Amino acid sequence: MKIINSSEFDAYWKNIPRQTDDPRTEKTVKKVIADVRKNGDAAIKKYASKWDKSSPSRLEVPFSIAKKALDDLRASEPSLVTALELAALNIKNFACKQREQFADFDVELNKGIITGQRIIPVEHAGVYIPGGRFPLFSSVLMCMIPAFCAGANEVILSSSPAADGLPDKKTLAAAIVAANICGKNEKDLRIFSIGGAQAIAALAIGTESVPRVDVIAGPGNRFVAAAKKQLFGEVGIDFIAGPSDILVITDDESTVNLAAADMIGQAEHDPDARARALVSSKEIAEKIASCMESRLNELPENNKKTARASLNAGGLIVICKDLEDMVRIANAIAPEHLELQTLNIENIIPKLRNYGSLFIGAKSAEVLGDYSAGVNHTLPTETCARFTGGLSVRHFLKTVTTLRCTDGEGYEKARNAAEIIGRAEGLEAHAQSAAIRKE
C-alpha cells in the first residue's frame, strides 16, 4: 500500500496507464470479430474450445433449464434466493423511478412551431455476464431489470459455458429471478452459453443462432471491453468498463476499520482492481494500512492472494491538506465507487462532480450498492465518470425529437431564417426547400 502526500499526487497520477488500452488485446479481438462476422456459430464454438471450459453443441439454453436452476437453488440455498429476490425488488423499484423521469412532451416554442420529444425503448437488449473465477450473477439483476423497466421487448443474455456446457447455475437462476420480478417469461428472455469477445461479436452482428441486439450492457474482462469498443456504432453499448475501483474519503479516525474493510473488498475482485483513500493525516493513513494488513490475514488464501496483488500493484492512500485538497484529487481520480466517511459530509457533497456512485456516510457500504440496495453496480471506471454515469434505464431508451409546423408568425420567421442560412452556407437546394413553403 503506497502512502503519499497530496503534493506528490499529480506526478503520480500522470503516469497511471489505462488498463483497457492494450494493443495485443485489440489485435486479438479484431480477429475474433472478423471471424464471427464471417463464420457465425462455427467461429463461436471454435473460440469456446480454445478459451472456455467447454464448447456446447447447442448455444441457446432452454428456458426450462434456467427455471430448474432457480428451483434447485431454492431447495439448496433458500436464503440466497430470498436475498436475490429482495435485491431484485429494490433494483426494479429504483429503475422504475428512473424511468418516470423520461417523458414525452410537445411544446409550442413560437406560434406555428411545435417541437417535442418521444422516449422509445430499444427492441432487443443484450446483456453480457462474465463467468471467470467469480461468476457475477448479481450483475444479471443489475443489467436485465433496467432493460425490462425501460420497456425493451426482449433481453438476450449471454454468459460463458462451464464444463457442462451451460452458464453458471446461479447466473441462470438470477435470470429467472429478474424475469419474474418484471413479469416476464420465455417470450421475453433468451439465454446463450457464449463467453468473451465472441459473445459481444455475436450479439452485435447476429449469427445463425444468436439474434442481433440494439444495445449491449454488462461487465467483462479486457477482451470483452475491447470488443464493445470496436463494435460501438454497429451496436449501442453502456460504456467501456475497465477494472473495478474504490475511493474512500475520511478524516474520521472512528471509520478506519470500515475504510480498510471496504478497500480490501474492492481489491479482492482481481489483481487489476484499485483501492484508494484520501485522508486528513498521516496517522489515519498508517492506521488504515495497518488495519488492512490485519484484515488481509483473515481472508481465505485465494482471496488474500488476489487482494494483496491488487494492493501491491496500485493501492494508494493520499494524505491531504484540507477538504478542498480532497475534492480536487477525488474529482481527478473520478472513481467508480466513492465513499464519504467524513465528519462534515454535507459540506463536501456539492463539490464532488466525478464518480460512478456516491456512498454517503459510514453505514453506506459500497457492498450494499453492489448487491441489494437498488442502485446499479455497473459503473464507469478508469476516469470515465468524468463524462458518464452508471448503467440505468436510459441506456435502453432513445430520446427522439419531433417537429410539427402550422401557420403562424413563429413559423414564418423560422422558415425565412432557414432560407437565409441555407443560402449563406452555399446549399441552394436547402434554401429553395424553405422558399417554396413561403405563403
Side-chain angles (χ1 to χ4, degrees):
M1 173 62 64
K2 190 176 185 67
I3 300 176
I4 64 174
N5 292 313
S6 60
S7 59
E8 304 170 81
F9 173 77
D10 290 341
Y12 171 88
W13 191 247
K14 183 172 65 176
N15 294 315
I16 298 293
R18 282 183 59 85
Q19 292 171 289
T20 50
D21 292 337
D22 178 10
R24 288 180 298 179
T25 299
E26 297 283 340
K27 184 176 180 181
T28 298
V29 168
K30 186 175 182 179
K31 290 181 179 179
V32 171
I33 292 172
D35 199 358
V36 171
R37 194 182 300 278
K38 181 179 179 181
N39 298 306
D41 289 352
I44 292 171
K45 293 175 182 179
K46 178 180 72 175
Y47 291 118
S49 297
K50 184 177 181 180
W51 291 321
D52 292 329
K53 296 175 182 177
S54 66
S55 181
S57 57
R58 179 177 178 179
L59 298 178
E60 186 163 6
V61 178
F63 196 80
S64 58
I65 289 180
K67 289 184 70 175
K68 184 178 185 303
L70 177 58
D71 292 339
D72 291 346
L73 189 63
R74 197 182 299 278
S76 62
E77 298 183 64
S79 62
L80 175 56
V81 173
T82 299
L84 287 173
E85 289 173 339
L86 181 142
L89 180 60
N90 285 343
I91 294 164
K92 177 190 174 184
N93 288 341
F94 185 74
C96 287
K97 187 64 179 177
Q98 286 183 318
R99 181 63 180 87
E100 291 175 11
Q101 311 310 307
F102 297 90
D104 296 357
F105 68 79
D106 288 294
V107 58
E108 189 169 36
L109 298 182
N110 290 294
K111 188 65 176 176
I113 296 290
I114 304 162
T115 59
Q117 76 172 19
R118 291 183 62 210
I119 307 299
I120 304 174
V122 300
E123 291 186 69
H124 308 287
V127 168
Y128 179 76
I129 304 299
R133 293 177 304 154
F134 302 111
L136 301 179
F137 55 89
S138 59
S139 292
V140 176
L141 308 182
M142 296 289 180
C143 296
M144 278 183 55
I145 293 173
F148 280 134
C149 290
N153 290 349
E154 182 180 53
V155 169
I156 311 298
L157 174 67
S158 185
S159 189
S160 56
D164 62 0
L166 298 171
D168 175 77
K169 297 298 190 300
K170 290 175 182 175
T171 294
L172 295 177
I176 301 302
V177 169
N180 287 346
I181 202 72
C182 295
K184 304 297 181 179
N185 55 38
E186 61 266 30
K187 300 191 304 295
D188 313 295
L189 171 64
R190 295 177 67 182
I191 304 171
F192 288 86
S193 189
I194 311 172
Q198 61 270 29
I200 304 303
L203 292 169
I205 298 164
T207 72
E208 305 95 309
S209 299
V210 185
R212 183 184 183 188
V213 303
D214 304 308
V215 173
I216 300 174
N221 63 18
R222 67 182 189 274
F223 295 98
V224 169
K228 288 167 74 175
K229 181 178 180 180
Q230 291 183 27
L231 287 161
F232 175 61
E234 190 166 352
V235 68
I237 63 170
D238 45 4
F239 37 75
I240 309 298
S244 191
D245 68 87
I246 189 171
L247 178 66
V248 181
I249 300 180
T250 182
D251 56 8
D252 184 356
E253 289 196 23
S254 69
T255 66
V256 161
N257 193 40
L258 298 179
D262 295 350
M263 291 170 73
I264 290 176
Q266 202 64 31
E268 77 171 343
H269 270 288
D270 60 70
D272 292 329
R274 292 295 175 256
R276 304 177 177 113
L278 307 180
V279 302
S280 57
S281 69
K282 183 178 180 182
E283 290 73 24
I284 292 179
E286 290 175 344
K287 286 181 179 180
I288 290 176
S290 175
C291 191
M292 290 178 76
E293 185 63 34
S294 298
R295 298 192 71 87
L296 271 174
N297 291 328
E298 297 171 1
L299 289 176
E301 188 58 37
N302 284 341
N303 303 67
K304 177 168 66 176
K305 182 179 178 181
T306 301
R308 191 176 292 281
S310 166
L311 295 170
N312 286 341
L316 179 69
I317 301 177
V318 183
I319 303 168
C320 299
K321 294 178 293 187
D322 51 31
L323 193 65
E324 296 303 318
D325 210 21
M326 289 179 168
V327 168
R328 178 184 70 83
I329 294 175
N331 283 332
I333 292 174
E336 178 185 13
H337 310 96
L338 178 55
E339 287 192 352
L340 299 184
Q341 298 178 10
T342 59
L343 295 171
N344 297 302
I345 286 178
E346 299 307 322
N347 291 337
I348 192 172
I349 291 174
K351 300 174 183 179
L352 295 166
R353 301 178 61 87
N354 301 334
Y355 52 82
S357 195
L358 184 65
F359 301 84
I360 304 168
K363 289 185 180 295
S364 305
E366 182 265 335
V367 69
L368 271 70
D370 270 352
Y371 294 132
S372 57
V375 296
N376 207 288
H377 77 196
T378 307
L379 300 168
T381 64
E382 296 204 308
T383 76
C384 291
R386 292 176 298 113
F387 55 82
T388 189
L391 181 68
S392 74
V393 293
R394 72 183 174 88
H395 287 94
F396 305 102
L397 297 171
K398 300 176 290 183
T399 302
V400 298
T401 56
T402 63
L403 176 64
R404 181 183 295 115
C405 295
T406 62
D407 291 337
E409 181 183 358
Y411 167 69
E412 177 53 30
K413 287 181 177 179
R415 186 212 60 75
N416 184 56
E419 181 180 350
I420 292 170
I421 294 170
R423 189 159 288 126
E425 285 190 339
L427 298 174
E428 182 58 28
H430 280 60
Q432 292 180 14
S433 178
I436 63 172
R437 287 170 168 79
K438 186 176 181 179
E439 290 180 352

